[in-house]
Structures are given as structure tokens and as C-alpha cells.
Amino acid sequence: MRFSSRAPSLARWSAPLLGGLALSLLLQVSAHAADLRVGFMPGPYRDAFTNGIEPQLKKLGYTVKYVEFSQGVQPNDAVERGLIDANIFQHTLYLNATNKQQGFDLVPVVHVPTPPMGLYSQRHKSLDTVPDGATVTLPSDPVNAARALNIFAAVGWVTLKPGVSPLAVSERDIVNNPKRLKLVPLEAAQAPRSLADADIAAVQGNFAVASGLKLTDALKLENMTLPYVNVVAVKRSNEQAQFAKDIAAAYQSAEFQRFFRANPTWAGYRLPDYFSQ
């Protein structure tokens, strides 16, 4: 670029100044502006992300692309292969289990508001009317089956082996089944459909919400502990990436907390510990 000889000093100083400014702006854009691909299973997490998180990310220059999955291992496989940047559908116990089984290396970066598992029924209005010999469906995967069994124990339907970890309990740990419940394991996503045939279904919160069930209509909700609160998961190599930090900051923001608390449809959710009391 040539400058007029009438302003040699301006030419000498403005070129490096403008070049430095352009480089600074370019670095800022490259650090923030990107297509962010986020995966979801059926449930409430996409809605919360779309309305409470995406607006904050857009201010930082991100363009969010959504990818829907139908089977539990698919969102983790997609993150592992780099097809998406993050997913939001699982708790850390499930994440750790799939890491071990599939050889993935994914990590959580922030907890998100999570609907608890609950006992639902189309035949009975209360737990007291559930008859002996009732058919009860529960998730077939070990991690979420343990959650269901802990609920059954909490309401007195079964007695579990003393000393067994509540995180690892299985049907083998049932030492007493006074109601003679018929336990039917099935794919967790099928639990809401089983209500047409079963007396009771133990339904994970995301599948309950996705199928139109209200948490407030559950006959019993689990006392959800931290390992079961869902997370945003990314590849370990992206744990310190700017996009991961920006997603975590958006969830932890006062703006998101106000947004989430103001929506009555999310009543009954287990809120992460960072939510202000």
C-alpha cells in the first residue's frame, strides 16, 4: 500500500498500528466465533439450552448447530469422533460407564438442571393402591436400574442387601420383595410407552418430560444426588477449550439462573449446586 508523500509520519506509524489492531481483532474473532455443534437426546435439555444458553453464546460470536440422537451411546460416540463438540443428556455415572465400555475419553465440564427419575402410573393414583404382584418396568442399563431399585427400597417395596453401594445395587441385591413385584427391565427410552401395560414405570426425568409427563404427576420422585445430575460432556482434549469454558460460564451465570427459575414447567428439577439459594 502506498501513502502520500505529504504524510510520511502517518504512513510510518499507522501501518503497524492498523496491522496490530487487525491482528488483535482477528485473534478475538477466532477465539470466539465458531460453529458450535451440540448433541441432545429427547428431553428438556435442548429447550433450556436454546432459550437460556444460546443467547449468551451468540453474544460471543458462536453459531449453534443442534444434532438430535435416538440412542444413548450415539451422542458420546459423536463427541469422541469430533462430529459434535459437546453433548447434554447424561450424568457422570453413565458417562464414566460408556467411557470404560467404549474406550471413549470424555469429561464433564458443568452440571445442568436435571429432572429426577420418578414412578408413574396410568392405573393408580397413589402408591397405596398399587397391588401385590404389580408389574413394574425399570431401565435395563445397570446405572439407571440402580436408581429405580433405590426408589423401590425408599417406598418399602423391596429390601436391599445391607452395605451394598446405592450406586451399584442390582436386582441380585434384593433380599426381600414383600409385594412380589414383577420387575421388567427395558430400554430407558421405552419406559413412558410401558405405562399402557404396566402398573408402574420408573421413568428417567428426561424421557418423562419428552413424553409429556409432568414431574409433579409422579407418584414418587427420587431424592437425586449429585452423581445423577446431568452434565455437559466434551472430549478431554477440549476440557480447557474456550467454547467449553464459555458454555460452563453461561450455565453458571445469574442470567441463566433467573431464566430457569422463572419457568414453571421446570418445577421439580434438581438444580446444580452453583445455583444461588
Side-chain angles (χ1 to χ4, degrees), residues 2-26:
R2 294 185 178 181
F3 291 87
S4 168
S5 59
R6 290 177 295 178
S9 60
L10 178 61
R12 186 169 60 251
W13 289 104
S14 63
L17 177 61
L18 292 173
L21 179 59
L23 177 60
S24 175
L25 291 173
L26 177 61

PDB file of all heavy atoms in Angstrom, residues 2-26:
ATOM      1  N   ARG A   2       0.585   2.243  -0.870  1.00  0.00           N
ATOM      2  CA  ARG A   2       1.353   3.475  -0.950  1.00  0.00           C
ATOM      3  C   ARG A   2       0.610   4.610  -0.254  1.00  0.00           C
ATOM      4  O   ARG A   2      -0.597   4.738  -0.372  1.00  0.00           O
ATOM      5  CB  ARG A   2       1.617   3.849  -2.411  1.00  0.00           C
ATOM      6  CG  ARG A   2       2.519   2.874  -3.131  1.00  0.00           C
ATOM      7  CD  ARG A   2       2.827   3.363  -4.511  1.00  0.00           C
ATOM      8  NE  ARG A   2       3.722   2.439  -5.182  1.00  0.00           N
ATOM      9  CZ  ARG A   2       4.156   2.645  -6.409  1.00  0.00           C
ATOM     10  NH1 ARG A   2       3.786   3.724  -7.088  1.00  0.00           N
ATOM     11  NH2 ARG A   2       4.973   1.763  -6.978  1.00  0.00           N
ATOM     12  N   PHE A   3       1.402   5.434   0.463  1.00  0.00           N
ATOM     13  CA  PHE A   3       0.824   6.581   1.146  1.00  0.00           C
ATOM     14  C   PHE A   3       1.348   7.847   0.503  1.00  0.00           C
ATOM     15  O   PHE A   3       2.444   7.884  -0.074  1.00  0.00           O
ATOM     16  CB  PHE A   3       1.215   6.583   2.633  1.00  0.00           C
ATOM     17  CG  PHE A   3       0.565   5.481   3.415  1.00  0.00           C
ATOM     18  CD1 PHE A   3       1.155   4.232   3.478  1.00  0.00           C
ATOM     19  CD2 PHE A   3      -0.634   5.686   4.058  1.00  0.00           C
ATOM     20  CE1 PHE A   3       0.562   3.220   4.186  1.00  0.00           C
ATOM     21  CE2 PHE A   3      -1.218   4.669   4.770  1.00  0.00           C
ATOM     22  CZ  PHE A   3      -0.631   3.425   4.835  1.00  0.00           C
ATOM     23  N   SER A   4       0.601   8.901   0.612  1.00  0.00           N
ATOM     24  CA  SER A   4       1.018  10.189   0.042  1.00  0.00           C
ATOM     25  C   SER A   4       2.291  10.677   0.705  1.00  0.00           C
ATOM     26  O   SER A   4       2.464  10.535   1.918  1.00  0.00           O
ATOM     27  CB  SER A   4      -0.112  11.219   0.228  1.00  0.00           C
ATOM     28  OG  SER A   4       0.358  12.503  -0.056  1.00  0.00           O
ATOM     29  N   SER A   5       3.151  11.251  -0.089  1.00  0.00           N
ATOM     30  CA  SER A   5       4.391  11.792   0.451  1.00  0.00           C
ATOM     31  C   SER A   5       4.145  12.979   1.368  1.00  0.00           C
ATOM     32  O   SER A   5       5.040  13.412   2.091  1.00  0.00           O
ATOM     33  CB  SER A   5       5.317  12.233  -0.698  1.00  0.00           C
ATOM     34  OG  SER A   5       4.676  13.214  -1.492  1.00  0.00           O
ATOM     35  N   ARG A   6       2.910  13.485   1.342  1.00  0.00           N
ATOM     36  CA  ARG A   6       2.600  14.623   2.198  1.00  0.00           C
ATOM     37  C   ARG A   6       2.430  14.205   3.655  1.00  0.00           C
ATOM     38  O   ARG A   6       2.357  15.031   4.536  1.00  0.00           O
ATOM     39  CB  ARG A   6       1.313  15.308   1.711  1.00  0.00           C
ATOM     40  CG  ARG A   6       1.489  16.048   0.380  1.00  0.00           C
ATOM     41  CD  ARG A   6       0.195  16.635  -0.083  1.00  0.00           C
ATOM     42  NE  ARG A   6      -0.790  15.580  -0.401  1.00  0.00           N
ATOM     43  CZ  ARG A   6      -2.028  15.844  -0.786  1.00  0.00           C
ATOM     44  NH1 ARG A   6      -2.455  17.099  -0.887  1.00  0.00           N
ATOM     45  NH2 ARG A   6      -2.832  14.853  -1.089  1.00  0.00           N
ATOM     46  N   ALA A   7       2.320  12.884   3.946  1.00  0.00           N
ATOM     47  CA  ALA A   7       2.124  12.445   5.320  1.00  0.00           C
ATOM     48  C   ALA A   7       3.009  11.253   5.626  1.00  0.00           C
ATOM     49  O   ALA A   7       2.539  10.167   5.915  1.00  0.00           O
ATOM     50  CB  ALA A   7       0.655  12.078   5.554  1.00  0.00           C
ATOM     51  N   PRO A   8       4.349  11.408   5.552  1.00  0.00           N
ATOM     52  CA  PRO A   8       5.238  10.283   5.770  1.00  0.00           C
ATOM     53  C   PRO A   8       5.170   9.747   7.181  1.00  0.00           C
ATOM     54  O   PRO A   8       5.255   8.544   7.401  1.00  0.00           O
ATOM     55  CB  PRO A   8       6.616  10.873   5.449  1.00  0.00           C
ATOM     56  CG  PRO A   8       6.467  12.344   5.676  1.00  0.00           C
ATOM     57  CD  PRO A   8       5.085  12.662   5.266  1.00  0.00           C
ATOM     58  N   SER A   9       5.027  10.630   8.162  1.00  0.00           N
ATOM     59  CA  SER A   9       4.998  10.145   9.551  1.00  0.00           C
ATOM     60  C   SER A   9       3.749   9.329   9.819  1.00  0.00           C
ATOM     61  O   SER A   9       3.767   8.342  10.548  1.00  0.00           O
ATOM     62  CB  SER A   9       5.071  11.326  10.526  1.00  0.00           C
ATOM     63  OG  SER A   9       3.967  12.186  10.323  1.00  0.00           O
ATOM     64  N   LEU A  10       2.614   9.752   9.224  1.00  0.00           N
ATOM     65  CA  LEU A  10       1.374   8.985   9.374  1.00  0.00           C
ATOM     66  C   LEU A  10       1.518   7.605   8.781  1.00  0.00           C
ATOM     67  O   LEU A  10       1.089   6.609   9.346  1.00  0.00           O
ATOM     68  CB  LEU A  10       0.217   9.745   8.704  1.00  0.00           C
ATOM     69  CG  LEU A  10      -1.139   9.037   8.733  1.00  0.00           C
ATOM     70  CD1 LEU A  10      -1.573   8.829  10.175  1.00  0.00           C
ATOM     71  CD2 LEU A  10      -2.170   9.843   7.964  1.00  0.00           C
ATOM     72  N   ALA A  11       2.144   7.536   7.610  1.00  0.00           N
ATOM     73  CA  ALA A  11       2.337   6.237   6.968  1.00  0.00           C
ATOM     74  C   ALA A  11       3.221   5.350   7.827  1.00  0.00           C
ATOM     75  O   ALA A  11       2.966   4.164   7.968  1.00  0.00           O
ATOM     76  CB  ALA A  11       2.975   6.443   5.590  1.00  0.00           C
ATOM     77  N   ARG A  12       4.246   5.917   8.407  1.00  0.00           N
ATOM     78  CA  ARG A  12       5.210   5.140   9.173  1.00  0.00           C
ATOM     79  C   ARG A  12       4.578   4.554  10.445  1.00  0.00           C
ATOM     80  O   ARG A  12       4.838   3.424  10.822  1.00  0.00           O
ATOM     81  CB  ARG A  12       6.410   6.024   9.513  1.00  0.00           C
ATOM     82  CG  ARG A  12       7.526   5.250  10.199  1.00  0.00           C
ATOM     83  CD  ARG A  12       8.798   6.069  10.277  1.00  0.00           C
ATOM     84  NE  ARG A  12       8.603   7.306  11.036  1.00  0.00           N
ATOM     85  CZ  ARG A  12       8.581   8.515  10.494  1.00  0.00           C
ATOM     86  NH1 ARG A  12       8.720   8.668   9.187  1.00  0.00           N
ATOM     87  NH2 ARG A  12       8.423   9.598  11.247  1.00  0.00           N
ATOM     88  N   TRP A  13       3.683   5.315  11.077  1.00  0.00           N
ATOM     89  CA  TRP A  13       3.112   4.855  12.354  1.00  0.00           C
ATOM     90  C   TRP A  13       1.768   4.142  12.195  1.00  0.00           C
ATOM     91  O   TRP A  13       1.440   3.266  12.985  1.00  0.00           O
ATOM     92  CB  TRP A  13       2.926   6.061  13.292  1.00  0.00           C
ATOM     93  CG  TRP A  13       4.241   6.593  13.794  1.00  0.00           C
ATOM     94  CD1 TRP A  13       4.877   7.723  13.376  1.00  0.00           C
ATOM     95  CD2 TRP A  13       5.091   6.003  14.771  1.00  0.00           C
ATOM     96  NE1 TRP A  13       6.071   7.884  14.029  1.00  0.00           N
ATOM     97  CE2 TRP A  13       6.222   6.837  14.905  1.00  0.00           C
ATOM     98  CE3 TRP A  13       5.014   4.846  15.553  1.00  0.00           C
ATOM     99  CZ2 TRP A  13       7.261   6.562  15.773  1.00  0.00           C
ATOM    100  CZ3 TRP A  13       6.041   4.573  16.424  1.00  0.00           C
ATOM    101  CH2 TRP A  13       7.162   5.423  16.530  1.00  0.00           C
ATOM    102  N   SER A  14       0.987   4.509  11.186  1.00  0.00           N
ATOM    103  CA  SER A  14      -0.349   3.917  11.084  1.00  0.00           C
ATOM    104  C   SER A  14      -0.312   2.491  10.588  1.00  0.00           C
ATOM    105  O   SER A  14      -1.136   1.670  10.984  1.00  0.00           O
ATOM    106  CB  SER A  14      -1.237   4.755  10.144  1.00  0.00           C
ATOM    107  OG  SER A  14      -0.713   4.748   8.831  1.00  0.00           O
ATOM    108  N   ALA A  15       0.638   2.133   9.735  1.00  0.00           N
ATOM    109  CA  ALA A  15       0.677   0.774   9.206  1.00  0.00           C
ATOM    110  C   ALA A  15       0.835  -0.269  10.296  1.00  0.00           C
ATOM    111  O   ALA A  15       0.040  -1.205  10.405  1.00  0.00           O
ATOM    112  CB  ALA A  15       1.791   0.654   8.163  1.00  0.00           C
ATOM    113  N   PRO A  16       1.861  -0.147  11.179  1.00  0.00           N
ATOM    114  CA  PRO A  16       1.968  -1.136  12.238  1.00  0.00           C
ATOM    115  C   PRO A  16       0.813  -1.069  13.222  1.00  0.00           C
ATOM    116  O   PRO A  16       0.373  -2.083  13.759  1.00  0.00           O
ATOM    117  CB  PRO A  16       3.301  -0.786  12.907  1.00  0.00           C
ATOM    118  CG  PRO A  16       3.785   0.471  12.323  1.00  0.00           C
ATOM    119  CD  PRO A  16       2.983   0.784  11.123  1.00  0.00           C
ATOM    120  N   LEU A  17       0.288   0.146  13.444  1.00  0.00           N
ATOM    121  CA  LEU A  17      -0.824   0.272  14.384  1.00  0.00           C
ATOM    122  C   LEU A  17      -2.060  -0.433  13.860  1.00  0.00           C
ATOM    123  O   LEU A  17      -2.706  -1.215  14.558  1.00  0.00           O
ATOM    124  CB  LEU A  17      -1.122   1.766  14.620  1.00  0.00           C
ATOM    125  CG  LEU A  17      -2.315   2.077  15.533  1.00  0.00           C
ATOM    126  CD1 LEU A  17      -2.056   1.497  16.924  1.00  0.00           C
ATOM    127  CD2 LEU A  17      -2.557   3.576  15.615  1.00  0.00           C
ATOM    128  N   LEU A  18      -2.380  -0.183  12.570  1.00  0.00           N
ATOM    129  CA  LEU A  18      -3.545  -0.830  11.974  1.00  0.00           C
ATOM    130  C   LEU A  18      -3.342  -2.332  11.867  1.00  0.00           C
ATOM    131  O   LEU A  18      -4.264  -3.113  12.072  1.00  0.00           O
ATOM    132  CB  LEU A  18      -3.820  -0.229  10.598  1.00  0.00           C
ATOM    133  CG  LEU A  18      -4.306   1.230  10.588  1.00  0.00           C
ATOM    134  CD1 LEU A  18      -4.381   1.750   9.159  1.00  0.00           C
ATOM    135  CD2 LEU A  18      -5.655   1.333  11.276  1.00  0.00           C
ATOM    136  N   GLY A  19      -2.100  -2.726  11.542  1.00  0.00           N
ATOM    137  CA  GLY A  19      -1.822  -4.146  11.447  1.00  0.00           C
ATOM    138  C   GLY A  19      -1.998  -4.837  12.784  1.00  0.00           C
ATOM    139  O   GLY A  19      -2.569  -5.922  12.889  1.00  0.00           O
ATOM    140  N   GLY A  20      -1.508  -4.197  13.855  1.00  0.00           N
ATOM    141  CA  GLY A  20      -1.664  -4.771  15.185  1.00  0.00           C
ATOM    142  C   GLY A  20      -3.116  -4.839  15.606  1.00  0.00           C
ATOM    143  O   GLY A  20      -3.568  -5.804  16.213  1.00  0.00           O
ATOM    144  N   LEU A  21      -3.887  -3.790  15.260  1.00  0.00           N
ATOM    145  CA  LEU A  21      -5.315  -3.778  15.593  1.00  0.00           C
ATOM    146  C   LEU A  21      -6.049  -4.881  14.853  1.00  0.00           C
ATOM    147  O   LEU A  21      -6.884  -5.598  15.426  1.00  0.00           O
ATOM    148  CB  LEU A  21      -5.912  -2.415  15.237  1.00  0.00           C
ATOM    149  CG  LEU A  21      -7.416  -2.239  15.507  1.00  0.00           C
ATOM    150  CD1 LEU A  21      -7.712  -2.457  16.980  1.00  0.00           C
ATOM    151  CD2 LEU A  21      -7.865  -0.850  15.051  1.00  0.00           C
ATOM    152  N   ALA A  22      -5.730  -5.054  13.565  1.00  0.00           N
ATOM    153  CA  ALA A  22      -6.379  -6.110  12.780  1.00  0.00           C
ATOM    154  C   ALA A  22      -6.057  -7.483  13.337  1.00  0.00           C
ATOM    155  O   ALA A  22      -6.927  -8.355  13.424  1.00  0.00           O
ATOM    156  CB  ALA A  22      -5.925  -6.013  11.327  1.00  0.00           C
ATOM    157  N   LEU A  23      -4.788  -7.679  13.731  1.00  0.00           N
ATOM    158  CA  LEU A  23      -4.398  -8.962  14.296  1.00  0.00           C
ATOM    159  C   LEU A  23      -5.126  -9.225  15.598  1.00  0.00           C
ATOM    160  O   LEU A  23      -5.595 -10.333  15.864  1.00  0.00           O
ATOM    161  CB  LEU A  23      -2.881  -8.984  14.521  1.00  0.00           C
ATOM    162  CG  LEU A  23      -2.319 -10.253  15.177  1.00  0.00           C
ATOM    163  CD1 LEU A  23      -2.621 -11.468  14.304  1.00  0.00           C
ATOM    164  CD2 LEU A  23      -0.818 -10.122  15.401  1.00  0.00           C
ATOM    165  N   SER A  24      -5.247  -8.159  16.421  1.00  0.00           N
ATOM    166  CA  SER A  24      -5.960  -8.317  17.693  1.00  0.00           C
ATOM    167  C   SER A  24      -7.407  -8.711  17.475  1.00  0.00           C
ATOM    168  O   SER A  24      -7.939  -9.594  18.133  1.00  0.00           O
ATOM    169  CB  SER A  24      -5.878  -7.011  18.491  1.00  0.00           C
ATOM    170  OG  SER A  24      -6.648  -7.101  19.672  1.00  0.00           O
ATOM    171  N   LEU A  25      -8.050  -8.029  16.509  1.00  0.00           N
ATOM    172  CA  LEU A  25      -9.449  -8.349  16.216  1.00  0.00           C
ATOM    173  C   LEU A  25      -9.587  -9.756  15.665  1.00  0.00           C
ATOM    174  O   LEU A  25     -10.525 -10.485  16.005  1.00  0.00           O
ATOM    175  CB  LEU A  25     -10.010  -7.339  15.215  1.00  0.00           C
ATOM    176  CG  LEU A  25     -10.192  -5.904  15.744  1.00  0.00           C
ATOM    177  CD1 LEU A  25     -10.599  -4.983  14.597  1.00  0.00           C
ATOM    178  CD2 LEU A  25     -11.225  -5.867  16.859  1.00  0.00           C
ATOM    179  N   LEU A  26      -8.627 -10.155  14.822  1.00  0.00           N
ATOM    180  CA  LEU A  26      -8.668 -11.496  14.240  1.00  0.00           C
ATOM    181  C   LEU A  26      -8.536 -12.549  15.320  1.00  0.00           C
ATOM    182  O   LEU A  26      -9.252 -13.554  15.322  1.00  0.00           O
ATOM    183  CB  LEU A  26      -7.550 -11.649  13.217  1.00  0.00           C
ATOM    184  CG  LEU A  26      -7.419 -13.037  12.554  1.00  0.00           C
ATOM    185  CD1 LEU A  26      -8.700 -13.371  11.788  1.00  0.00           C
ATOM    186  CD2 LEU A  26      -6.212 -13.087  11.637  1.00  0.00           C
TER     187      LEU A  26
END
